[in-house]
Amino acid sequence: MSTLSIVLLVILVVLVIACIVLYFLGKKAQKKQEEQKEQLDAVKQTVSMLVIDKGRVRLRDAGFPPLVVENTPKYLRRSKVPVVKAKVGPKVMTLMCDAEVFPLIPVKKEVKATVSGIYITGVRGLRGSLETPQKKKGFFARLRNKQENK
């Protein structure tokens, strides 16, 4: 056996082991995510709120209680999260939002939101339906449009 075939065989074995490890880690993460979703669904409430402002802000700068910032993993503390500032009843609250729901939330309007703690999981219009925003075109789609318009 030549040295090239031995090197290729070792690389193949390492790749197979890496794929097996990633498979089991993925299954474990999926189970964990399903458990967290069940917990969120167990404590959800529907609340009427007036959205004051929304934006993507760093977790530290969002104005959450110190307990929330301490309980998040260190690698996520610097990342930007979707944050909504809303008036719920007489209180002005800062709430974290689901990434899929965030574009649907209108600013300066009243909505009915499904809230789980400080996390908004769903939203619907109080008076009528919500406007769905236009999806942004990707880089290659814009290039294709420019070529077609010429």
Side-chain angles (χ1 to χ4, degrees):
M1 252 182 152
S2 68
T3 58
L4 179 65
S5 61
I6 293 173
V7 169
L8 289 175
L9 187 63
V10 169
I11 291 173
L12 181 67
V13 169
V14 168
L15 286 175
V16 168
I17 291 172
C19 287
I20 292 171
V21 168
L22 286 175
Y23 173 76
F24 285 111
L25 287 176
K27 289 202 49 113
K28 185 177 178 182
Q30 188 176 8
K31 283 182 185 177
K32 196 174 191 180
Q33 184 181 19
E34 288 171 359
E35 289 173 5
Q36 288 173 347
K37 180 128 174 80
E38 288 174 8
Q39 288 175 347
L40 282 176
D41 289 341
V43 294
K44 70 180 177 183
Q45 303 173 341
T46 303
V47 190
S48 177
M49 64 173 64
L50 173 69
V51 178
I52 298 170
D53 192 21
K54 72 175 190 173
R56 293 190 179 273
V57 185
R58 287 209 167 119
L59 195 62
R60 289 184 268 159
D61 305 333
F64 289 119
L67 185 65
V68 174
V69 178
E70 290 171 9
N71 286 337
T72 55
K74 287 188 178 182
Y75 65 91
L76 289 177
R77 290 183 190 170
R78 297 192 69 216
S79 64
K80 291 187 175 182
V81 292
V83 174
V84 175
K85 191 166 273 203
K87 185 173 181 184
V88 182
K91 277 171 108 175
V92 175
M93 297 177 70
T94 305
L95 304 166
M96 195 180 299
C97 186
D98 196 27
E100 288 91 37
V101 176
F102 184 70
L104 300 175
I105 297 177
V107 180
K108 308 250 193 263
K109 290 192 179 174
E110 211 168 337
V111 294
K112 274 207 181 275
T114 307
V115 178
S116 212
I118 62 164
Y119 196 70
I120 300 174
T121 57
V123 68
R124 63 181 189 270
L126 195 63
R127 295 170 186 87
S129 62
L130 294 174
E131 300 170 9
T132 54
Q134 292 283 333
K135 278 194 171 183
K136 291 184 178 179
K137 290 185 179 178
F139 178 72
F140 291 109
R142 287 192 306 244
L143 282 177
R144 245 185 268 124
N145 272 348
K146 284 182 183 178
Q147 289 296 327
E148 290 172 2
N149 289 339
K150 284 185 178 180

